[in-house]
Each structure stands twice: as C-alpha cells, then as structure tokens.
Amino acid sequence: MELEEKPKYGEPRKYDPAFKGPIQNRSCTDIVCCIFFILAILGYIAVGILAWSQGDPRKVIYPTDSRGQFCGQAGTPLEKKRMLFYFNIMKCASPMVLLEFQCPTTQMCVEKCPEKFLTLVKAYTNNKDFDYYKQFCKEGVTNSMGIPEILRLGLCPAMLTPSKPFTRRCFPALGQKGGVITVGNSSHFDDGSGTIRDAKDLMDGVKNATVVIEARQVVMKIFEDYTQSWYWILLGLVIAMLTSLLFIVLLRFLAGIMIWIMVALVILVIGYGIFHCYMEYAALKEEPGADVTLQELGFQTDLTIYLQIRQTWLAFMIILAIVEVIIILLLIFLRKRILIAVALIKEASRAIGHVMSSLFYPLFTFVLLAMVIAYWAVTAVFLSTSNEPIYKVFNDTECEHSRKTCDPANFTTSPMKYQCPDSECLFAFYGGETVYHKYLIGLQFYNVFLFFWCANFVTAMGQMTLAGAFSSYYWAFVKPDDMPAFPVFSSLGRSLRYHTGTLAFGSLILSIIQIIRVLLEYLDHKLKGAHNKFTKFLLCCLKCCFWCLEKCIKFLNRNAYIMVAIYGKNFCTAAKDAFFLLMRNMIRVAVLDKVTDFLLFLGKLLIVGLVGVFAFFFFSGRVKAFENTAPHLHYYWVPILTVVVGSYLIAHGFFSVYAMCVDTLFLCFLEDLERNDGSAEKPYLMPDSLRKILNKKNKDQPAE
C-alpha cells in the first residue's frame, strides 16, 4: 500500500460548523517578543531623557562665536548681536574650514555687518571712525592703545569690508561690474597692512565659508515660504481630505461606476500633464539659454532654474507618456479581471458601510505615527547637540601646537601661548571625549532602530485591528446582526490584549531589514569615490535585494496579521498558514488581488493629480485670478510639493482602509471556497455578485 502524498502547500481548511468569525477564546502570543519590546521602549525613554539632559538645540539655531557663545540668543548680553563677524574672511580659504566647519580666524557677534571700507590705521586717526570701528572689536579697546598693541593682542581686525548678512553671518558684498569682481563697488581694497589687493582674493574665503551653510540658506528660504503659505497648504490638504472622503462615500454607493470614472479621469489628468509639458517645452524654444542640458547646468539650489530648461519639460513629458501607456496597456489586458476586482471592491464598500468607524481609524494611526516621528526627531536633535564646545589653537606662523585642543579661560598664561605668541584659542567645533560622547553614534543608531520598530508596530496594529473588524463582517451569517456592536473597538482590544508580542515580532523583522538598508546607504555614502567598480556593483545588488526582501516581508506580514486577527495564533504559524493559503490560490492572488490594488492606486493617483494641478496653478501664479491672492515665495514648488505629498498621504490613509478591507475579504473569500461547497449544510458566505462571476451558487438558491 502506497503512502498518501502530503499536499505541497498544506491541507486546505475543513468545514467547521462552530466557526462564526474571529475566535473569542484565545491566548497571548509571542510573549517573549512582547517582553523584549517593552524593555526596548523603556530603554528608548531612557535614551530620550539622557539626550534631553545633555543636548542643546541652540547649537543649530544660533551662530557660535570664537568663545562658544550664541549670537542673538534671547536673555543674554548678545541678544541684540545677531550677526557673526569674521576678523579676516580670507583665512576661510583654508581647507581646514571644510573639515572643522569653522574659520581659523576670530569671530564675534555684532549688531550689524560693516557697511564701508575702513582700515584700522585710517580709523585710528578719526575719533568718529574709530568709534564705529570698535563695534567690530573685542572688549577692552581704548583710544589710548596704539595700533601695534591692538593688532598684537588680536583685539580688532586689520580692515573692514562692506558686507551683507547671509544666514546671520557677515560676508563681503561681492558683485561683478564689466566682468570684474568687485566688493562694495570697488575692484580693489586695502588689507590693513598697506597692501592693495584685488576683490577676487575674497572669493575663495567666501566660497569655503558658505559651502558648509549653503544648504542652510535653502532651508531658511523654504522655512520662510512655509511661514507665508502654511494656511494655503492647510487648505489644500483639507481639499484633499474632502475629496478622498467624497470618493469613499461615492464608492460605497456607486462602486462600479466610480471605478470606471476613476480610470477615465486618471488617463485624462495624465494626458493633460503630457500636453502641458509639451506646451512648456515648445514655449521655451526661442528663449535664450533654454537649450542648456541638465548635465551642463549641474546642481542648483534654486530649483526653479530647472523649469526654465527645455530638457526638464521633455523629461517630464517622456515620463508621463510612459506612465500613460503602461496604464492603458494594463487596462486592456486586465479588462476581464477588473470586473471581478470591481465586485470585490463593491463588497468592500458594503463592509465599510457596516463598519463606518473604520474610516476614522487612520486618524488614530496618524496621531500615533506623528507622536513616534516627533519623539524620534526631538531625540535626534538633542543627541546631535549634546556635544561640548571644542577649542583649538589657531595661528598664522608655524607652531608645534597648531590645531591642538586648548582652554580659552587660561590660554593667555599657558605654555602654548608662550611658545607661539601669535596663536589664539578659538572655538573649532562641537565634540567630546567622555564615554557618553564616544557612544553617541550608537545612541543615534538605537534611536533610528526604535523609530522603525515603533512606526512599524503602529502600522501593524492598524492592519490587525481593521482585519479583525472586516473578517467579523465576512463570516457573519446574518449581517449585521451576527457582528459585534463595535467591531473596530473590539478588534483593537483583542490585538493589544493578546497579540502585542505578535505585532512586535512582525514589526521587528521588518525593522531589521530597514535598518540594514539604512546601513547600506550609509556605507555607500561613506565609500563614495573610494570603492572600485566591483564593490559598487556589490552594494547596488545588496540594496536591490534588501529592497525586494522588504516588500516581500511587508506583504507576508500583512496577511499574517489577518490570520492572527481571525484565529489568534502566533506570528510564525499565522504567516505559514497565510503563505500556504495564498500559494494554493496563486493564480487568483496574481490576477485578482493585485488588480484590486492597482485600481485603488489609480484612485489615489487621481486625487493627488487633481489637487496637485490645482496647487500648481494657484502657487505658480499662472492664473490671473489668483495673482493677488497667492503668496510671494522664493520657491513656489515648496507648497506644491508639500500639498502633493500630503494629499497622497491623506488619500493613502483613506484608501488603506479599503485596501485592508479588500485583502481581508480576499483571504476570507479563499477560505470560504475551501471550507464550503455551496450545499445546504456548507453554504458559501461570499456575496451574490462574486458567486455570479465565479459561477458558484448555493444549492438552496435558484440558479442565477
């Protein structure tokens, strides 16, 4: 007698007359991981308290002078002195600036930047000029002191040049006249020692001094744009929310019609995008400089420059055309499967109609994620600013103590000052040598890892909660009488009471993969320009593999949480059951579940497209009716991009309820086919629309 061959993907579920949906009598799962998660959270709180006690965000808000004081800090003697002034900006041309982010010259806080050319020698001969000059000198300078003594003690700069504030720092007011570099409308200046120098000699110093803070200038302008347009951005997000809610309500009653309207509108919106890009491309044909390539242009901090290049609009047009063709081809080849997907979406609409509170659950998830992100961001800022000010020896002549750490309090009486009379002890950067400072990078890593873990936990909790609510709808024989009174609240209670460990386990696996991806990106950034082609290829392959692995784990986790919500098993068992169930129905998964996801994605794309087009015409001033209403901005793409990203997140939040409902009903639908056969004893619980499309019927019902 031959042994019966075991099924490759496990035994299909058998009919159980006692099964009425998510089981109530369940026990706690993955307790060990739950304990680890609680301990990790307690450690995370400890790291936050430690960071908040050691950190000082003022270090990233205010410029720091040579004595480590903050310029413009409220409640200090420097409150009115908001600008940072460099004694000798030409010393900023040193490559050490790029390494230590601080110029090897005395820096002090001043109320305003110098507005005219003036040397110490010239100012000393006129009391009025000297009083003006002393604004840019250290304390203790008097009219009775001689020029050699002032310069020897480093109390004043040798010269002043016309300067302008730039990110709260004084930089020479460089310009160009007839192709010649000028400073203060002059191509030459006196460096204070009697030598006449060209204005272009200041270029390197200004360039090196600004390279470190150039990104900050962009951030400052972006911040200003947000302060000017935040209420309009908020209005755009409210419109996106109302539009998303309208779509959900219409899907509830007109699912079939709305799906096809949605598909048509997506094609039209993308088609308009292609047309608009072509018109912009054609309009720039005669514009001078519009034929410059993106490669020749290079990186520009003002991103609006790219919109004045024809190649940019050509690239946009090609990308949109490819997306349009792909969507049309998918719709043609999947037209029959779309009918089944529409039936599944109709059933999801009915389920959401019976569980209306599920539409508001994304708001709860959003609040929790906002708390997680805020805690991570604040902790990261405090950790990055918990270093101590480091002072180093700077000098003009050769000195054995150059770049060594020093103490400004007693530097004037130290051996280093005695051996190097012209040296100064100036603030260099923020650092530290204590045990705490040595392990700061580890604490930052822990902060990032716990951020991933907590964020994934919140997302997983939402998925399991919604899965429990919608599965109670599907398996209810009489709807809604056989459903719990508060399905979402009941499901959330079960998830937290019994399955916190399971949620922590699944989110931990995903977090480990995500942190590995972060480390690969960090390694790639650190080795950029140093590794050979083989290591570059290897890193690229690893990043691609872990990206794919992350997508697979997300898919597996999502279905595992559905099985946990229904049967109350541990993560590994639920993941195995979900995987085998999907593998036994691989064809249906490939052509039905993914088609439904595609249709819901088109809905999100449509909302983002409609709101994005409206935001573009409003903020760019292309419509004359909005010219006086729209705010004047540095970068009009800032609010547009914010509205587009925010609209996608809002639409994703609403449609994620639909997506989770569809995935839950789909798994329940597959189990329904395995558990039941349509007989009077084992009737199908799937809706009539699905039974009709699949040519299934219950035997106690007449043929349809």
Side-chain angles (χ1 to χ4, degrees):
M1 180 179 177
E2 294 183 2
L3 292 173
E4 185 178 347
E5 186 178 354
K6 192 174 181 180
K8 186 176 180 180
Y9 296 115
E11 291 281 354
R13 290 198 183 273
K14 305 298 183 183
Y15 173 71
D16 181 5
F19 181 70
K20 302 294 183 182
I23 61 173
Q24 301 300 320
N25 297 324
R26 54 179 73 195
S27 58
C28 296
T29 54
D30 299 301
I31 299 174
V32 175
C33 199
C34 179
I35 295 172
F36 277 128
F37 184 63
I38 293 172
L39 293 175
I41 292 294
L42 293 176
Y44 198 20
I45 295 173
V47 169
I49 294 173
L50 181 63
W52 299 338
S53 64
Q54 300 290 327
D56 189 355
R58 294 175 302 175
K59 296 173 183 176
V60 295
I61 298 173
Y62 303 105
T64 308
D65 69 6
S66 296
R67 291 185 289 180
Q69 298 173 316
F70 302 120
C71 300
Q73 181 188 348
T76 67
L78 300 178
E79 181 176 0
K80 295 182 179 180
K81 298 182 177 182
R82 302 179 67 252
M83 306 299 172
L84 187 68
F85 169 71
Y86 298 88
F87 269 31
N88 188 351
I89 192 68
M90 288 185 289
K91 288 187 178 181
C92 294
S94 166
M96 294 301 294
V97 174
L98 300 180
L99 297 176
E100 298 177 345
F101 304 105
Q102 198 77 0
C103 288
T105 185
T106 301
Q107 298 160 56
M108 62 178 294
C109 303
V110 295
E111 290 188 22
K112 59 181 181 179
C113 299
E115 300 169 346
K116 56 184 177 180
F117 279 113
L118 201 59
T119 63
L120 178 59
V121 175
K122 184 178 179 181
Y124 193 77
T125 60
N126 185 298
N127 288 336
K128 186 177 179 181
D129 287 342
F130 194 53
D131 289 339
Y132 173 80
Y133 204 95
K134 282 190 289 186
Q135 297 180 71
F136 309 98
C137 297
K138 296 180 182 178
E139 295 177 358
V141 179
T142 63
N143 292 6
S144 60
M145 299 176 68
I147 294 176
E149 184 182 7
I150 293 174
L151 292 176
R152 180 175 59 82
L153 296 175
L155 298 177
C156 290
M159 63 166 181
L160 298 179
T161 58
S163 304
K164 290 183 179 179
F166 174 74
T167 61
R168 296 176 64 172
R169 291 161 172 82
C170 297
F171 289 119
L174 295 173
Q176 196 168 11
K177 185 184 292 183
V180 179
I181 301 298
T182 62
V183 57
N185 294 323
S186 177
S187 58
H188 300 85
F189 66 95
D190 188 337
D191 67 0
S193 63
T195 304
I196 304 299
R197 305 184 64 167
D198 292 333
K200 65 180 181 180
D201 293 342
L202 295 168
M203 285 293 292
D204 289 336
V206 174
K207 182 180 178 181
N208 275 347
T210 56
V211 71
V212 178
I213 56 174
E214 194 172 74
R216 181 177 290 185
Q217 179 201 25
V218 177
V219 173
M220 292 285 286
K221 288 184 177 180
I222 290 174
F223 179 75
E224 288 178 14
D225 287 345
Y226 277 127
T227 60
Q228 294 291 325
S229 61
W230 65 269
Y231 40 90
W232 294 111
I233 293 174
L234 194 61
L235 179 62
L237 297 180
V238 169
I239 292 173
M241 184 180 70
L242 294 176
T243 307
S244 301
L245 192 59
L246 178 63
F247 266 80
I248 296 296
V249 172
L250 290 175
L251 277 174
R252 167 68 183 89
F253 300 102
L254 304 167
I257 298 173
M258 280 300 300
I259 290 296
W260 292 112
I261 291 176
M262 202 161 55
V263 169
L265 285 177
V266 166
I267 294 174
L268 289 175
V269 168
I270 297 178
Y272 172 77
I274 296 171
F275 171 74
H276 182 82
C277 291
Y278 173 76
M279 295 302 293
E280 293 284 351
Y281 176 78
L284 291 170
K285 184 176 181 180
E286 303 299 331
E287 293 292 327
D291 290 324
V292 176
T293 64
L294 294 173
Q295 187 175 5
E296 293 172 344
L297 185 63
F299 176 74
Q300 301 291 327
T301 55
D302 186 359
L303 299 184
T304 55
I305 294 175
Y306 294 106
L307 300 181
Q308 301 170 18
I309 305 300
R310 297 187 77 205
Q311 197 176 78
T312 303
W313 293 105
L314 180 63
F316 286 159
M317 186 168 59
I318 292 173
I319 292 170
L320 289 176
I322 292 172
V323 172
E324 182 90 323
V325 170
I326 290 174
I327 290 175
I328 291 173
L329 290 177
L330 285 174
L331 291 172
I332 292 172
F333 288 113
L334 299 175
R335 59 189 183 279
K336 291 184 179 179
R337 298 297 175 182
I338 288 175
L339 296 175
I340 305 177
V342 168
L344 200 56
I345 290 176
K346 283 182 179 178
E347 186 59 18
S349 298
R350 295 190 189 97
I352 291 174
H354 286 93
V355 192
M356 285 299 291
S357 56
S358 62
L359 286 176
F360 301 98
Y361 189 86
L363 296 176
F364 177 64
T365 301
F366 174 77
V367 170
L368 292 180
L369 283 176
M371 292 170 60
V372 170
I373 293 171
Y375 187 89
W376 162 78
V378 171
T379 303
V381 169
F382 275 86
L383 281 174
S384 62
T385 58
S386 58
N387 290 314
E388 299 171 346
I390 301 297
Y391 300 87
K392 291 198 173 185
V393 177
F394 293 96
N395 58 289
D396 294 326
T397 58
E398 187 176 347
C399 175
E400 60 178 316
H401 301 295
S402 180
R403 309 299 176 189
K404 287 186 179 179
T405 305
C406 59
D407 183 2
N410 56 14
F411 181 73
T412 54
T413 59
S414 67
M416 288 187 286
K417 180 66 173 179
Y418 177 76
Q419 296 174 19
C420 307
D422 65 335
S423 63
E424 291 183 276
C425 183
L426 304 178
F427 168 76
F429 55 87
Y430 289 105
E433 300 296 333
T434 65
V435 175
Y436 171 72
H437 295 110
K438 289 180 180 178
Y439 288 98
L440 265 180
I441 186 68
L443 294 177
Q444 285 282 25
F445 177 84
Y446 187 77
N447 183 33
V448 174
F449 180 71
L450 261 293
F451 164 69
F452 282 136
W453 198 356
C454 293
N456 289 326
F457 180 87
V458 171
T459 304
M461 183 174 67
Q463 292 174 346
M464 187 179 290
T465 299
L466 293 175
F470 292 129
S471 59
S472 66
Y473 162 83
Y474 187 95
W475 295 111
F477 193 77
V478 179
K479 302 175 177 63
D481 296 343
D482 293 342
M483 293 172 59
F486 303 100
V488 173
F489 185 78
S490 301
S491 181
L492 177 61
R494 285 196 304 269
S495 300
L496 291 176
R497 181 180 177 183
Y498 297 108
H499 307 303
T500 299
T502 300
L503 294 171
F505 190 16
S507 53
L508 174 63
I509 296 172
L510 185 58
S511 300
I512 291 173
I513 295 170
Q514 289 173 333
I515 203 68
I516 291 174
R517 289 189 63 200
V518 170
L519 289 174
L520 287 174
E521 292 291 345
Y522 177 77
L523 187 63
D524 188 30
H525 176 73
K526 282 292 184 183
L527 297 177
K528 191 163 287 184
H531 51 57
N532 55 35
K533 291 184 178 180
F534 175 75
T535 54
K536 191 174 183 179
F537 173 75
L538 183 62
L539 274 173
C540 185
C541 290
L542 285 172
K543 288 193 288 185
C544 181
C545 290
F546 276 97
W547 180 84
C548 294
L549 181 60
E550 181 183 347
K551 296 300 179 185
C552 293
I553 293 297
K554 280 184 176 180
F555 177 76
L556 187 62
N557 281 7
R558 188 182 181 90
N559 290 284
Y561 296 143
I562 296 173
M563 300 302 277
V564 172
I566 298 173
Y567 298 107
K569 297 182 179 180
N570 61 49
F571 178 81
C572 294
T573 304
K576 183 189 71 174
D577 291 346
F579 178 74
F580 284 168
L581 177 62
L582 294 172
M583 291 302 291
R584 290 195 298 268
N585 298 271
M586 191 183 301
I587 303 299
R588 286 194 178 99
V589 173
V591 300
L592 181 56
D593 192 41
K594 294 300 110 184
V595 170
T596 309
D597 289 344
F598 172 68
L599 292 177
L600 293 177
F601 173 73
L602 289 184
K604 290 185 279 188
L605 206 62
L606 176 60
I607 292 171
V608 172
L610 291 174
V611 178
V613 168
F614 173 78
F616 173 77
F617 280 113
F618 179 79
F619 289 109
S620 64
R622 300 296 177 94
V623 179
K624 291 185 178 180
F626 297 144
E627 279 183 346
N628 297 325
T629 308
H632 299 285
L633 307 171
H634 296 288
Y635 311 122
Y636 69 79
W637 52 264
V638 169
I640 295 174
L641 193 61
T642 305
V643 169
V644 166
V645 173
S647 300
Y648 180 80
L649 293 176
I650 290 171
H652 179 73
F654 280 101
F655 278 84
S656 65
V657 176
Y658 251 93
M660 199 65 212
C661 183
V662 168
D663 287 347
T664 303
L665 297 182
F666 182 66
L667 278 186
C668 295
F669 158 71
L670 296 179
E671 288 216 350
D672 193 7
L673 290 174
E674 292 186 350
R675 284 176 176 274
N676 306 310
D677 58 8
S679 63
E681 297 80 15
K682 297 186 285 185
Y684 292 119
L685 293 179
M686 69 183 72
D688 295 341
S689 56
L690 274 178
R691 286 202 299 268
K692 184 176 181 181
I693 293 174
L694 295 171
N695 199 24
K696 302 280 185 181
K697 65 178 187 296
N698 288 326
K699 293 181 180 178
D700 61 341
Q701 293 180 345
E704 297 174 352

